[in-house]
Amino acid sequence: MKGLTFRIKATVLAAALQLAGLAVVPALAAQSPEVLKLFPAQPSGYVTDAARLLQPAESQEMEGLILRLKDVTGAEIAVVTLP
């Protein structure tokens, strides 16, 4: 029963996060062109460092951790830094 409860909670959390993500899309569309330039049209991974805060090794380490998380749980995370 514990496993089922955990799965239900995880599913509800995932759905809530997806719905929250949908709310961000119209907000981005309303932003100025300068803000939109910060985001690549086709992201190449899970880490977008527009503020250039991360060293390449740090970014690669984050990508690796996120990929492991996705493999184990199916969850996906995106990391974005802004100037």
Side-chain angles (χ1 to χ4, degrees):
M1 194 66 163
K2 273 185 169 181
L4 179 61
T5 303
F6 175 78
R7 275 194 226 156
I8 291 170
K9 287 181 181 179
T11 302
V12 169
L13 177 61
L17 290 173
Q18 288 175 345
L19 289 173
L22 290 175
V24 172
V25 173
L28 281 177
Q31 295 294 322
S32 67
E34 294 82 23
V35 172
L36 295 176
K37 288 180 194 174
L38 296 173
F39 296 95
Q42 293 292 331
S44 60
Y46 293 104
V47 179
T48 301
D49 185 21
R52 295 190 173 108
L53 297 173
L54 303 171
Q55 297 295 322
E58 294 170 324
S59 182
Q60 289 172 352
E61 182 179 0
M62 281 183 165
E63 287 277 346
L65 289 170
I66 294 169
L67 286 171
R68 284 201 329 244
L69 176 70
K70 182 181 176 188
D71 288 343
V72 172
T73 67
E76 293 182 357
I77 298 174
V79 177
V80 179
T81 65
L82 298 174

